[in-house]
């Protein structure tokens, strides 16, 4: 393979960031046809298509996303060289892009990212959103992994894979009681005010089924789809709150909240959703404890 032509790489880099041959050609004072030829030469050299056309838009392929990451590094290195020679050295860093459901426990997200948080050579980009938008970003290669508490839909054509990271118990928690009375589940829920996750939550569905079988109609104070808000309300309101203990771990350790009971047979599962990649992000393989082919290492 011949040495990489950095002029071709610069042309590709410009088109990728502009998202348009027209705009990139205008900025570089080239014709669209000449710019297109340069991109084709680079694609021929690397052996992979770098763009695909979706309607009127140019969209990066998986190989294109990898190439853009390297191109960013290459041209950033030029800036770093100038900075270094002027006495302002800048360390280069690897990047991991993480998508997380807006409603997902922040404590769980931190536990997942903890191996990378203190590394000076790593840049973490965390984006929150709903499942549909995050999975679209995953398939478009703009995030490397999606963290969720439910699985992505799969069929024979899907490139998405669900990896179970953890399974947590679910409890009723609340502020410390002034009396010595032990909480009785589910009987006390006939009168005890209750804070719940929304009906979109798997743990809410399982919990409602338990109460229905027990013939208990709870007094519901609030239904919240954001675990961070549910955590705050648990601190402020009377009654009990249905949450995985990891969500309120700090409050339990500080004694602000206490765990009244574990809910039998109800757990919350946490998943890393990834897309099958020809070029997986090495940082992602590291935090998932996978080998370089994307297969879980034996434990």
């Amino acid at each position: 393979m011949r040495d990489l032509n950095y002029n071709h790489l610069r042309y590709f880099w410009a088109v990728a960031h502009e998202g348009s041959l027209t705009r990139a050609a205008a900025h570089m004072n080239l014709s669209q046809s000449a710019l297109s030829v340069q991109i084709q030469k680079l694609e021929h050299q690397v052996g992979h298509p770098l763009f695909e056309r979706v309607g009127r838009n140019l969209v990066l392929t998986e190989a294109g996303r990898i190439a853009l990451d390297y191109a960013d590094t290459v041209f950033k290195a030029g800036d770093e060289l100038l900075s270094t020679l002027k006495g302002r050295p800048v360390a280069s860093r690897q990047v991991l892009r993480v998508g997380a459901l807006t409603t997902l426990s922040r404590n769980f997200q931190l536990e997942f990212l903890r191996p990378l948080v203190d590394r000076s050579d790593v840049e973490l980009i965390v984006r929150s959103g709903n499942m549909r938008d995050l999975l679209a970003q995953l398939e478009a290669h703009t995030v490397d992994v999606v963290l969720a508490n439910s699985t992505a839909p799969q069929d024979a054509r899907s490139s998405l894979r669900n990896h179970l990271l953890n399974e947590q118990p679910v409890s009723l928690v609340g502020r410390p009681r002034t009396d010595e009375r032990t909480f009785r589940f589910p009987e006390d829920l006939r009168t005890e005010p209750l804070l719940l996750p929304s009906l979109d939550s798997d743990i809410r569905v399982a919990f409602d089924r338990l109460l229905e079988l027990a013939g208990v109609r709870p007094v519901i104070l609030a239904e919240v789809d954001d675990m961070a808000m549910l955590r705050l309300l648990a601190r402020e309101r009377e009654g009990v709150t249905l949450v995985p203990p990891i969500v309120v771990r700090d409050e339990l350790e500080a004694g602000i909240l206490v765990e009244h009971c574990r809910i039998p047979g109800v757990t919350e599962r946490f998943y890393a959703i990834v897309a099958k990649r020809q070029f997986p992000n090495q940082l992602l393989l590291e935090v998932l404890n996978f080998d370089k082919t994307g297969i879980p290492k034996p434990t």
Side-chain angles (χ1 to χ4, degrees), residues 3 6 14 20 55 69 83 89 92 99 113 123 131 141 160 162-163 176 202 228 234 261 271 274 276:
D3 291 340
Y6 286 92
S20 164
D69 283 344
S83 295
S92 62
L113 297 172
E123 178 182 355
M131 181 72 97
H141 317 300
L160 302 181
N162 301 298
H163 297 286
D202 290 342
C261 71
Y271 297 91
V274 300
K276 188 177 180 180

Side-chain angles (χ1 to χ4, degrees), residues 108-176:
F108 168 72
Q109 294 179 47
L110 180 58
E111 288 301 314
F112 177 79
L113 297 172
R114 191 174 297 283
L116 304 177
V117 167
D118 293 329
R119 285 181 49 175
S120 60
D121 63 328
V122 171
E123 178 182 355
L124 294 172
I125 299 174
V126 182
R127 299 169 178 159
S128 297
N130 60 48
M131 181 72 97
R132 180 178 178 179
D133 290 344
L134 291 175
L135 293 183
Q137 292 180 50
L138 184 62
E139 292 185 314
H141 317 300
T142 55
V143 297
D144 300 303
V145 60
V146 171
L147 302 180
N149 50 10
S150 61
T151 58
Q154 290 184 292
D155 56 40
R157 300 173 58 186
S158 175
S159 67
L160 302 181
R161 299 291 181 267
N162 301 298
H163 297 286
L164 179 63
L165 298 177
N166 203 346
E167 188 169 7
Q168 290 281 331
V170 176
S171 301
L172 288 172
V173 305
R175 296 193 296 192

Side-chain angles (χ1 to χ4, degrees), residues 1-6 8 40-42 44-46:
M1 184 176 178
R2 294 175 301 170
D3 291 340
L4 183 67
N5 186 310
Y6 286 92
H8 296 164
Q40 290 172 14
K41 288 181 178 179
L42 180 62
H44 178 73
Q45 188 175 23
V46 301

Side-chain angles (χ1 to χ4, degrees), residues 14-35:
V15 174
H17 279 288
E18 290 289 348
S20 164
L21 272 172
T22 303
R23 290 193 296 271
H27 287 168
M28 303 186 81
N29 293 318
L30 293 172
S31 69
Q32 292 186 50
S33 59
L35 187 54

Side-chain angles (χ1 to χ4, degrees), residues 74-91:
V74 167
F75 297 122
K76 183 180 178 182
D79 295 335
E80 292 176 357
L81 171 61
L82 294 177
S83 295
T84 298
L85 295 179
K86 292 178 181 179
R88 301 191 302 270
V90 181

